[in-house]
Amino acid sequence: VKIHPKVAEEAARIVSIRRRLHQQPELSFQEHGTAKLIVEELRGARVDVRHPVARTGVVATMQNGDGPCIALRADMDALPITESSNAPYKSQNEGVMHACGHDGHVAMLLGAVRALDALRSEWRGTIKFLFQPAEEGHAGAVSMIEDGALEGAAAAFGAHLWNFQDVGTVGVRAGPVMAAADRVTINVRGRGGHGAAPHQAVDAIMVAGHLLVALQSIVSRSVDPLDSAVISIGELRGGYGYNIIADDVFLRGTARAYREEVRQLLRRRLGEVCEGVGRTFGAKIELEYRDGYPPTVNDAAMTDVVRRAAGRVVGEAVGEPYMSMGGEDMAYYLRRVPGCFFFVGSSPLGASPRIPHHHPSFDFDEAALGIGASVFVNIALDMLRA
Ligand SMILES: [Zn+2]
Ligand SMILES: [Zn+2]
């Protein structure tokens, strides 16, 4: 592993920032202390600081002569999880925890700020460092874009520490890397009645049973088998007692896909199946389909930039990331400008089992921070070569 020399100089500081953030995790759009720490850390660098952006976000713009403009992004928020850890840097905010690694993302990007400030003779242009709130389900990226955070940027890059890969590796892949994750709410409306007289009722539980099975035919029979999609009904409620025919059943779940076309297919077929099953049994089925994050799709040329930048840090250990049907709001930036979202392996070597993100004992190998910061620095140097 070849940490960029300017990042190596900042290594201790990057780890200390990460640990301070880890001790004071804050939920989406409540990252006030986090933003304060970021603004203080930026004081030592020649950047123009905008805060607040998107309520609790920070944008630092580093100008260095004429040239293109790129955006580098880190998310800032933590999760409502009680940390189970004996680490000295354990969460001091009861019930809140940096269980996804966003503390590390902020620390890596602050390290890149200082390194790129010291490397001004090697690049020309503008770098916008985006410290974004509320990635965990609250679409902070949308607020950032609405507040102009991306203005002027011709490309955007972001990273996720990734405990599904060993530290010392970087996952880079063109095309979709994270899924669209939409929410589905269904109400089956029948007509209640006596268990002895089904002919006088419309049994919502029986209809829901058919619907539940028919919905799974969408992925198995309507989606191209070479595409990825998943529909999961996570909640089903209805009924009153052993001799009562239920009038209403409520279902809730998620629909996920990598490609926008597949996502539209899921939405359309969900509507058709609900309508059709309802008509078949004389029930009325109401479907509410709520868009979550869109798919995160990497541009091919920008992915090549990241692959080369990462190759100079970890050599041969640049591979394809472990894929996930999870969602990520980096997707919104990548719909506006070409860019790449990459994965910095962070699982300690030999860890078995690997501790997944969003787990109460999540932690990562801090050696990944220098790797991630170095990749960001190399990306900027390549995109903005003097
Ligand atoms: Zn997360
Ligand atoms: Zn995350």
Side-chain angles (χ1 to χ4, degrees):
V1 171
K2 276 206 192 71
I3 302 300
H4 192 287
K6 281 289 176 234
V7 171
E9 287 173 21
E10 302 294 334
R13 190 186 190 106
I14 294 173
V15 169
S16 130
I17 292 171
R18 182 266 162 160
R19 292 184 175 197
R20 274 186 284 152
L21 289 173
H22 196 83
Q23 282 184 298
Q24 53 153 60
E26 294 169 306
L27 295 174
S28 299
F29 286 128
Q30 297 170 30
E31 305 92 333
H32 300 285
T34 307
K36 190 161 168 272
L37 185 150
I38 292 168
V39 170
E40 274 163 17
E41 282 295 324
L42 288 170
R43 246 173 228 149
R46 286 164 286 174
V47 288
D48 174 50
V49 177
R50 247 185 88 201
H51 171 68
V53 179
R55 285 150 76 179
T56 45
V58 182
V59 174
T61 304
M62 190 181 283
Q63 261 180 321
N64 189 31
D66 289 335
C69 171
I70 64 166
L72 306 178
R73 169 269 203 179
D75 44 10
M76 304 155 62
D77 56 331
L79 289 154
I81 295 174
T82 300
E83 181 161 18
S84 120
S85 158
N86 296 317
Y89 49 85
K90 181 183 178 185
S91 167
Q92 303 294 308
N93 184 2
E94 181 65 29
V96 182
M97 177 191 175
H98 266 298
C100 203
H102 299 183
D103 49 346
H105 300 171
V106 171
M108 275 181 338
L109 199 59
L110 283 169
V113 170
R114 293 176 69 89
L116 286 162
D117 197 21
L119 289 164
R120 278 174 184 261
S121 62
E122 295 185 28
W123 61 276
R124 282 265 169 281
T126 303
I127 308 172
K128 297 186 93 172
F129 298 91
L130 314 186
F131 296 92
Q132 178 215 300
E135 192 285 325
E136 296 287 0
H138 298 269
V142 172
S143 305
M144 289 288 279
I145 292 168
E146 283 171 356
D147 269 5
L150 205 53
E151 253 160 47
F157 300 89
H160 211 298
L161 290 165
W162 211 229
N163 259 24
F164 302 106
Q165 289 170 210
D166 285 341
V167 67
T169 66
V170 177
V172 190
R173 186 180 189 275
V177 286
M178 300 287 275
D182 298 332
R183 291 181 189 180
V184 176
T185 305
I186 298 170
N187 278 296
V188 178
R189 304 212 183 280
R191 193 165 60 247
H194 197 290
H199 58 294
Q200 291 169 353
V202 175
D203 182 354
I205 286 185
M206 191 274 300
V207 177
H210 278 273
L211 179 66
L212 194 62
V213 176
L215 288 179
Q216 289 307 327
S217 78
I218 297 174
V219 171
S220 66
R221 301 290 94 173
S222 301
V223 173
D224 182 331
L226 296 177
D227 271 314
S228 296
V230 60
I231 295 174
S232 292
I233 299 299
E235 193 178 350
L236 188 153
R237 282 188 282 120
Y240 307 100
Y242 67 95
N243 58 353
I244 304 164
I245 287 177
D247 52 355
D248 268 334
V249 172
F250 173 81
L251 301 90
R252 199 150 64 158
T254 51
R256 297 164 188 267
Y258 275 127
R259 293 199 304 119
E260 192 60 40
E261 293 85 343
V262 179
R263 184 191 200 189
Q264 295 314 326
L265 173 74
L266 295 183
R267 177 201 295 270
R268 178 171 62 76
R269 288 293 295 144
L270 269 155
E272 289 168 358
V273 170
C274 285
E275 161 92 36
V277 170
R279 187 137 20 89
T280 301
F281 299 109
K284 187 162 167 21
I285 302 183
E286 294 157 1
L287 167 73
E288 192 202 334
Y289 191 101
R290 264 219 334 269
D291 280 354
Y293 296 163
T296 301
V297 184
N298 286 340
D299 174 81
M302 296 299 115
T303 302
D304 281 341
V305 170
V306 175
R307 200 174 278 126
R308 281 196 302 274
R312 297 211 299 283
V313 182
V314 298
E316 295 292 296
V318 178
E320 300 241 313
Y322 166 94
M323 302 283 290
S324 139
M325 293 303 279
E328 162 63 58
D329 77 355
M330 182 75 197
Y332 291 103
Y333 303 106
L334 299 182
R335 286 215 295 200
R336 294 293 182 106
V337 293
C340 179
F341 187 66
F342 57 99
F343 300 84
V344 179
S346 57
S347 182
L349 293 178
S352 172
R354 288 173 169 162
I355 302 163
H357 298 256
H358 294 204
H359 188 280
S361 52
F362 175 82
D363 201 354
F364 57 84
D365 190 323
E366 288 170 331
L369 299 174
I371 294 172
S374 296
V375 178
F376 273 129
V377 167
N378 288 345
I379 290 170
L381 294 178
D382 288 356
M383 292 291 293
L384 309 171
R385 200 181 301 278

